[in-house]
Amino acid sequence: MTKSKEDDDKELYQFVASMPKVELHAHLNGCIREETLFDLARQKNVELPAKLFSLDHHTNNDDHVNSFMYNVKPRSLTDCFDMFAVIPKCVNDLASLERITREALQDFANHHVAYLELRSTPKRINQSLSKRQYVETILRVMKEFQEVEEERYQQQSTSTSSTETTTRLPMKCRFLVSIDRSGSVHEAQENADLAIEFSQQPNSLVVGMDIGGNPTKNDFTDFKPALSRARKAGLKTTVHCGEVPVAAGPDDTDPRLAKARDEVLAIFEFRPDRLGHALLLPESLRNELTTLQVPVESCPTSNVMTLELAKHMGGDLIHGLRQHPQLQYWLDDNYPISIGTDDPGVFNTDATQELVLLAKAQEGVTTETLKRIVLDSVNHAFCNVELKDQMKQLMGEFFATMEQV
Ligand code: IMP
Ligand code: ZN
C-alpha cells in the first residue's frame, strides 16, 4: 500500500519530535506559555491588549492542508514589542519568574532539546528584587532542572521498559545575559557587570551576552563597549542583526536604510561569535558574511512573522518561509546555521515545529540535513569544549539508533 501525504507528514513529525535538538536562540520572556500569561494577568489584574490575543486575522483554517502550520495569530515586529512591554507586568515577582523559567525549560525538554542556551534581560521586576536576584533565580531554576534531568536519564538508562520513542537525552542548559537596545547604555553596562560576575563563579551556567530588543531603537555602537568588556572577560557574544531593511550599497541615501547598513557593518566589524537572524542582508552584505563565516541563529517562524511573510502568503507558514531572504542561500552553501524558536510563546511554536517547517518549506532538506544542522550547531554553542564533545558523542549515538524516514 502506498503511503499517503498525511502518513509522510506524521512520520516526519514523529522523527523530528524524537530527535535530540539544540536551541541557541530563545528569550525567556518570549517563552511564556499563553495560558500562563492569561493566568498571571488575571492574578495581577493586568489588562492584556485585546488586539494581541484575538484570532481575527484567519479564523477559517479547516480546509487548509497544513492547518497546524497555519498562521492563525500573525504577530508583526510591532505586535511582538507590544507583547514584550506587557509580559513583565505579569512576571513581576519571584514566584512568576520561577514559574516561567521552569515552564520554558520543561517545554524545551519535552521537545527533546538536549542543549539549551536561554537568554534574558536582567530586570528589577519589583522594588525588592534586584537585577542580581533576577539572574540568580533563573540560574537556580536551571541548575535544579538539570539535576532532575540527569536523575531521570540515569533511571531511564537502567530501566528495561523505556523504548526508543520515550527516551531522550538529559537537557543541559546555559544562560546568556541580554542587553535590550531600547534601554540605556548604563543599563547595558550593569548587565555586562552581572554577566562577568556570574560567569566567574565556579561551575557557572553564564556563558555569553546578547544584544537584542527593538531594532528601530538606538544603535549597536552605543552598546559595543559593554559587549567588548564582556568579551575581554571571556564571555562569548551574539548580536541580533539585519532585522530592519538595509541599504543595498553605500550610494543609497535613504537615511534609515543607510543607518541600518552602517549598523550591520559595525556588527560585522565587531565579529561576534554568532549573529541572530541576519535577515535582511542585501547581496553585498550576504557575500561579506560568507567570507566571515560567523554562525547564524536562524529562527524560521519568528522571521516569517516579523517580516509578515505568512500574511502575504494567505497565512501559510510554509509558503511564507519560502520567501525567506537568506535561508535557501545558506542551505545551498552549507553556511553554519542553527535553528531556534526565538519566542515560542509569542510565535506559538516549539523546537520540533521549527525543524518540521524547515524540512517542509525548503527544497532538499531531508532528515539527514536536519541531523547535520543540529549536530553542527553544537560547534556554535558557547559552553566549554568538554560539554560540546560530550553532546556530540551522545547525540551521534542517539541518531545512530533512530530509524530513517
Ligand atoms: P527577556 O529578555 O527574557 O525579557 O525576553 C524578551 C526580550 O527579548 C524582548 O523584550 C526583546 O528585548 C528581546 N527579543 C525577543 N524577540 C526579539 C526579536 O525578534 N528581536 C529582537 N529582540 C527580541
Ligand atoms: Zn531574538
Side-chain angles (χ1 to χ4, degrees), residues 25 27-31 77 80-81 84-85 87-88 100 119-123 134 138 178-182 210-215 240 243 277 302 306 342-343 347:
H25 190 128
H27 301 264
L28 174 61
N29 280 262
C31 293
L77 197 63
C80 285
F81 288 103
F84 293 131
I87 295 170
I100 68 158
R119 57 186 77 182
S120 192
T121 322
K123 299 171 190 61
Y134 180 93
I138 296 169
S178 295
I179 290 172
D180 178 355
R181 58 181 288 162
S182 63
D210 150 66
I211 297 187
N214 193 331
H240 283 67
E243 291 178 280
H277 307 313
S302 161
T306 56
D342 207 4
D343 301 294
F347 297 123

Side-chain angles (χ1 to χ4, degrees), residues 147-401:
E147 283 166 20
V148 173
E149 277 286 281
E150 202 52 57
E151 239 170 74
R152 176 196 58 75
Y153 186 65
Q154 296 305 334
Q155 281 172 6
Q156 171 188 284
S157 309
T158 52
S159 151
T160 48
S161 62
S162 59
T163 66
E164 223 173 80
T165 46
T166 58
T167 4
R168 61 176 177 80
L169 299 177
M171 188 169 81
K172 297 284 181 201
C173 322
R174 294 294 182 267
F175 186 65
L176 313 184
V177 175
S178 295
I179 290 172
D180 178 355
R181 58 181 288 162
S182 63
S184 68
V185 171
H186 176 73
E187 292 259 345
Q189 291 288 10
E190 277 182 354
N191 298 0
D193 286 341
L194 280 176
I196 294 167
E197 180 191 323
F198 277 102
S199 72
Q200 290 169 349
Q201 292 179 356
N203 302 318
S204 177
L205 299 184
V206 178
V207 290
M209 283 203 86
D210 150 66
I211 297 187
N214 193 331
T216 63
K217 305 274 187 279
N218 299 321
D219 194 281
F220 164 74
T221 48
D222 302 334
F223 304 102
K224 198 170 107 176
L227 208 60
S228 296
R229 220 155 49 78
R231 177 150 77 182
K232 277 209 194 86
L235 284 150
K236 303 277 188 190
T237 59
T238 175
V239 179
H240 283 67
C241 170
E243 291 178 280
V244 287
V246 175
D251 302 337
D252 195 325
T253 51
D254 178 317
R256 256 205 280 173
L257 299 181
K259 178 192 176 288
R261 182 181 163 84
D262 288 346
E263 193 169 41
V264 172
L265 288 170
I267 295 170
F268 283 5
E269 197 195 9
F270 180 79
R271 233 179 174 296
D273 298 283
R274 294 195 310 247
L275 291 172
H277 307 313
L279 197 51
L280 292 168
L281 302 184
E283 194 181 352
S284 58
L285 294 182
R286 180 189 320 127
N287 293 340
E288 193 161 334
L289 185 58
T290 306
T291 316
L292 293 175
Q293 291 285 303
V294 177
V296 172
E297 306 149 358
S298 187
C299 305
T301 301
S302 161
N303 292 171
V304 169
M305 295 274 194
T306 56
L307 294 186
E308 302 186 50
L309 300 174
K311 197 168 151 192
H312 301 305
M313 303 309 294
D316 187 325
L317 282 179
I318 294 173
H319 286 95
L321 191 60
R322 292 194 182 131
Q323 317 305 311
H324 191 288
Q326 314 296 338
L327 208 44
Q328 195 61 57
Y329 292 102
W330 291 334
L331 291 166
D332 291 347
D333 284 359
N334 269 342
Y335 192 85
I337 58 167
S338 55
I339 298 296
T341 52
D342 207 4
D343 301 294
V346 173
F347 297 123
N348 192 22
T349 187
D350 56 58
T352 301
Q353 187 166 316
E354 291 306 302
L355 292 178
V356 170
L357 174 60
L358 184 70
K360 287 185 159 202
Q362 303 300 131
E363 195 77 37
V365 172
T366 62
T367 51
E368 280 306 308
T369 321
L370 298 181
K371 286 198 275 187
R372 179 187 61 70
I373 290 174
V374 168
L375 266 182
D376 195 33
S377 43
V378 178
N379 295 319
H380 320 159
F382 290 171
C383 62
N384 61 26
V385 173
E386 287 74 27
L387 182 55
K388 284 190 198 193
D389 287 347
Q390 190 193 338
M391 294 311 309
K392 281 191 265 190
Q393 186 180 343
L394 280 173
M395 289 170 67
E397 286 168 4
F398 197 102
F399 283 143
T401 68

Side-chain angles (χ1 to χ4, degrees), residues 3 40 45 110 140 142 181 204 238 302 315 325 390 402:
K3 277 195 291 174
L40 294 174
N45 276 326
N110 288 346
R140 175 171 47 75
M142 281 183 144
R181 58 181 288 162
S204 177
T238 175
S302 161
Q390 190 193 338
M402 292 181 75

